[in-house]
Amino acid sequence: MQLIDGKHVAATIRERIAKQVEQIIAAGGKRPHLAGVLVGHDGGSESYMASKVKACEQCGFTSSLIRHDSDVSQETLLQTISALNNDPDVDGFIVQLPLPRHIDEQRIIEAIDPRKDVDGFHPINVGRLSIGLPCFRSATPAGIMMLLEHYQIDTRGKHCVVVGRSNIVGKPIATLMLQKATPGNATVTVCHSATPDIAAITRQADILIAALGKPHFVSADMVKPGAVVIDVGTTRVEDPTSPRGWRLRGDVDFDNVAPMCSYITPVPGGVGPMTIVSLMHNTLLAATRQIYP
Ligand code: GUN
């Protein structure tokens, strides 16, 4: 079994991005600028956002954080988005999800200029992804593809089973694994809450991607020996022994599943760091106009 070290791969890619930024600056170019919009004070969102700001510093990007209280009106939030769309210094921006219930999340996503949508959530980017056109790819699926590429994991003709069908991870990773590309070119099955006997399907997986957000859902009896297992879960569970009182738990019962796998991602330190670095990658693509010239 080989552990997929997302922390290491992310650091390598971050260094590569930082070098490219140095070259841009040396050539008299503008420093890439990522902005983030954070509504309320959800612990998970705060910590994601803090990691993104830190990654911007490590890459040599400018970052800015726009905060709104959780009772912000949809109108005010739309005005913030419009200002970011029109700010020539901002290359890309994200609105951290989830948003409070009184705000129509889809309306917010669709207000973002697709050329600045470094999260890849706008229907233009999602649509372009689905037919294989250049686009901003949702950060977590893009990060998983970078891991598969880094470890040169053979995906062609393999059966990839995705558990979970979210717009952010499940659907786009299924799309990417399906594409005629390397990595990709897999036979893809997507399981979800209405799928009967999920275990019967996951046991057929050469590559199993767990992205449903249920801690330790994937048990050893659901995994084919020798499978590649990618764990996207990051649920906070109480842990009195941790200084923070909680720790992250993946969707895979790592201790029992890992010995059966050819490759597996740990939680934390697997997919998580890659999500942040692929957002940085998207920001560099936005700043250098590589997707929408
Ligand atoms: N919430 C959970 N993951 C993400 C993400 O990748 N981007 C944004 N904007 N919000 C999230």
Side-chain angles (χ1 to χ4, degrees), residues 48 52 94-98 119 121 139-140 168 275:
Y48 278 131
K52 288 167 187 175
I94 61 161
V95 179
Q96 187 65 32
L97 305 179
D119 256 334
F121 293 168
T140 301
I168 295 181
T275 297

Side-chain angles (χ1 to χ4, degrees), residues 34-161:
L34 173 68
V37 180
L38 183 55
V39 178
H41 297 277
D42 172 75
S45 294
E46 288 274 1
S47 89
Y48 278 131
M49 208 48 117
S51 307
K52 288 167 187 175
V53 169
K54 186 173 160 209
C56 280
E57 283 165 19
Q58 291 168 327
C59 290
F61 295 175
T62 304
S63 71
S64 43
L65 178 57
I66 296 132
R67 286 178 175 274
H68 285 294
D69 287 330
S70 54
D71 61 356
V72 67
S73 70
Q74 181 161 300
E75 202 45 50
T76 303
L77 198 50
L78 287 169
Q79 280 165 10
T80 295
I81 290 167
S82 173
L84 291 167
N85 283 341
N86 293 314
D87 183 341
D89 196 65
V90 172
D91 298 297
F93 67 96
I94 61 161
V95 179
Q96 187 65 32
L97 305 179
L99 292 169
R101 285 152 73 108
H102 68 278
I103 291 172
D104 178 351
E105 210 159 85
Q106 197 55 32
R107 176 87 199 280
I108 297 300
I109 289 170
E110 290 184 35
I112 299 171
D113 183 334
R115 294 169 296 183
K116 294 193 178 190
D117 170 38
V118 285
D119 256 334
F121 293 168
H122 190 285
I124 293 275
N125 282 310
V126 177
R128 291 176 67 93
L129 178 73
S130 79
I131 56 172
L133 293 176
C135 64
F136 293 113
R137 299 170 164 198
S138 179
T140 301
I144 294 170
M145 298 307 274
M146 287 177 189
L147 285 177
L148 295 172
E149 188 177 16
H150 182 90
Y151 284 87
Q152 298 193 343
I153 292 170
D154 186 18
T155 58
R156 183 173 183 273
K158 297 289 193 276
H159 188 188
C160 172
V161 175

Side-chain angles (χ1 to χ4, degrees), residues 150 217 236 274:
H150 182 90
F217 178 87
R236 285 185 176 192
M274 295 304 297

